[in-house]
């Protein structure tokens, strides 16, 4: 069992949120230039990941004791909203690989020591879907099976995987994340997909891998303890919201591309060969799309402010608010997909060519919207159940069931 170092890493000068957003904007030309090769290679290059490291993006959510900046997750979301405009796959990797630094704020410090004790730049991948077998054993858990869709996993030296904890009757009572070193799993190259092709979201395979208890944490439990205030946000809000922030960035990238292509275009189907930018339909579609994406971005930032109002007073976010936040977060994929679908038909035949970045934005945003965090039906149903006073699954929000009602 490891011990936690008494000598924390030095924290460098902490940039402002606006400075970090500007660093993301400065990377957009490079990201746009590499986007096609990222898709063709089915993974983000080491050079791009290193550019994110050099920009300090992996420090945004990392605790200060490990050399990070311990900033509020809203800063991370703003960075993702910019990176998504350049290359969705690269942004997706930054989102997945970068949010785990925040996750360690919820764990036994020994877990972070195992990962960052010698190198505080070590990157962690993940696959939270509980698709493999997770067995409780003395001192921890034993894992066997495959875990799908581990985005950016080639860049990680560790990975979080998901598991279910059951009661004596076999009923799932908790969802947990378990931290596994790269030496304990095999990467299966099976990421052949139609969207987000460049994320390298391959499968992880393991057999009889032991994970000590201290390298696990609940994904649904929400309790007050002595962790720093920025880590008091609910896990679901931060992880799910990070996915939505990235998708909002994709949609803005599609809007940017539409403006660029339509600004100098002449509509050949028009008898008078008028410029596209004076066509009412072209302008209306753009305005509608912008309204949807602005609404998504504003909603994400507003709910983070609501959450921050509690956690920086050292209070837990109320249950009803947490349920409402997931409802807001989950609708971003659907609404941003609608925005891009509003734009795509106006491009005509040019939008069909594989070298048109608009086509990649469309496929990537549809793929991103299929992520489990963007399930609008389940989140709506859970919200309705909460408002109507019925129980929610304990694995959803960690909300304890009410006492059974005596119906006699």
């Amino acid at each position: 069992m490891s011990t936690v170092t008494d000598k924390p890493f030095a924290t460098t000068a902490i940039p402002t949120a606006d400075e970090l957003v500007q660093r993301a904007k400065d990377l957009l030309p490079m990201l746009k230039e590499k986007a096609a090769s990222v898709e063709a290679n089915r993974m983000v290059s080491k050079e791009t990941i290193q550019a994110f490291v050099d920009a300090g993006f992996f420090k945004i959510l990392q605790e200060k004791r490990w050399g990070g900046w311990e900033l509020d997750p809203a800063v991370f979301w703003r960075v993702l909203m910019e990176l998504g405009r350049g290359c969705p796959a690269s942004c997706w990797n930054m989102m997945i690989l970068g949010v785990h630094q925040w996750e360690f704020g919820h764990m036994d410090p020994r877990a972070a020591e195992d990962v960052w004790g010698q190198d505080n730049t070590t990157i962690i991948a993940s696959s939270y879907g509980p698709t493999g077998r997770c067995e409780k054993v003395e001192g921890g858990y034993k894992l066997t099976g495959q875990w799908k869709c581990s985005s950016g996993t080639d860049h990680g030296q560790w990975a979080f995987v998901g598991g279910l904890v059951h009661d004596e009757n076999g009923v799932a009572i908790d969802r947990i994340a378990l931290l596994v070193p790269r030496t304990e799993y095999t990467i299966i190259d099976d990421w052949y997909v139609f969207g987000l092709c460049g994320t390298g979201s391959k499968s992880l395979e393991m057999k009889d891998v032991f994970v000590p208890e201290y390298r696990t944490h609940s994904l649904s439990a929400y309790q007050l303890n002595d962790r720093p205030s920025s880590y008091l946000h609910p896990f679901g809000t931060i992880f799910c919201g990070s996915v939505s922030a990235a998708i909002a960035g994709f949609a803005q990238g599609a809007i940017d591309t539409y403006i660029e292509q339509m600004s100098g275009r002449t509509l050949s189907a028009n008898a008078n060969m008028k410029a596209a930018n004076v066509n009412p339909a072209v302008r209306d579609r753009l305005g509608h799309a912008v309204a949807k994406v602005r609404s998504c971005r504003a909603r994400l930032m507003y709910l983070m402010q609501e959450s921050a109002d509690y956690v920086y007073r050292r209070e837990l976010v109320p249950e009803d608010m947490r349920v409402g936040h997931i409802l807001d977060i989950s609708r971003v994929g659907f609404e941003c997909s609608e925005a891009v679908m509003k734009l795509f038909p106006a491009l005509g035949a040019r939008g069909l060519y594989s070298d048109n970045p608009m086509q990649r934005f469309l496929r990537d945003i549809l793929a991103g919207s299929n992520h489990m965090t963007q399930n609008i039906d389940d989140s709506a149903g859970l919200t309705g159940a909460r408002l109507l006073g019925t129980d929610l699954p304990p694995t959803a929000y960690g909300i304890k069931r009410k006492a059974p009602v005596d119906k006699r």
Side-chain angles (χ1 to χ4, degrees), residues 306-317:
E306 280 192 325
S307 186
D309 287 344
Y310 284 89
V311 303
Y312 290 106
R313 297 198 304 257
R314 305 295 302 170
E315 299 175 19
L316 294 179
V317 180

Side-chain angles (χ1 to χ4, degrees), residues 264-337:
R265 182 184 176 191
T266 299
L267 296 179
S268 58
N270 189 303
N272 296 318
M273 297 295 286
K274 289 186 177 180
N277 61 6
V278 300
N279 183 284
V282 170
R283 296 186 298 191
D284 290 353
R285 286 177 179 270
L286 177 58
H288 288 305
V290 168
K292 285 184 178 293
V293 177
R294 282 176 59 89
S295 176
C296 288
R297 290 169 61 104
R299 197 161 65 238
L300 288 173
M301 301 314 294
Y302 178 75
L303 71 86
M304 273 304 298
Q305 185 56 58
E306 280 192 325
S307 186
D309 287 344
Y310 284 89
V311 303
Y312 290 106
R313 297 198 304 257
R314 305 295 302 170
E315 299 175 19
L316 294 179
V317 180
E319 292 176 355
D320 286 345
M321 186 174 287
R322 289 161 52 203
V323 173
H325 287 172
I326 294 299
L327 177 72
D328 290 340
I329 286 168
S330 68
R331 303 194 71 81
V332 170
F334 175 75
E335 293 176 13
C336 284
S337 295

Side-chain angles (χ1 to χ4, degrees), residues 42 49 88 152 215 311:
R42 297 186 301 111
I49 297 298
R215 279 206 233 123
V311 303

Side-chain angles (χ1 to χ4, degrees), residues 110-160:
R110 290 175 294 174
E113 173 71 26
D114 288 352
V115 175
W116 292 324
Q118 299 301 317
D119 180 2
N120 69 342
T121 65
T122 297
I123 291 174
I124 307 94
S126 64
S127 175
Y128 289 111
T131 55
R133 188 170 74 249
C134 176
E135 179 186 358
K136 186 75 176 80
V137 297
E138 184 177 356
Y141 297 85
K142 187 167 65 175
L143 300 174
T144 296
Q146 275 196 15
W147 280 259
K148 295 284 190 179
C149 305
S150 181
S151 298
T153 199
D154 288 295
H155 303 291
Q157 293 303 308
W158 293 73
F160 282 110

Side-chain angles (χ1 to χ4, degrees), residues 257-258 261-262 265 343-351 356 358-359:
T257 302
Y258 182 90
Q261 295 189 10
M262 287 304 197
R265 182 184 176 191
L343 300 176
F344 193 75
L347 293 175
R350 69 168 60 191
N356 189 325
M358 193 67 169
Q359 189 215 70

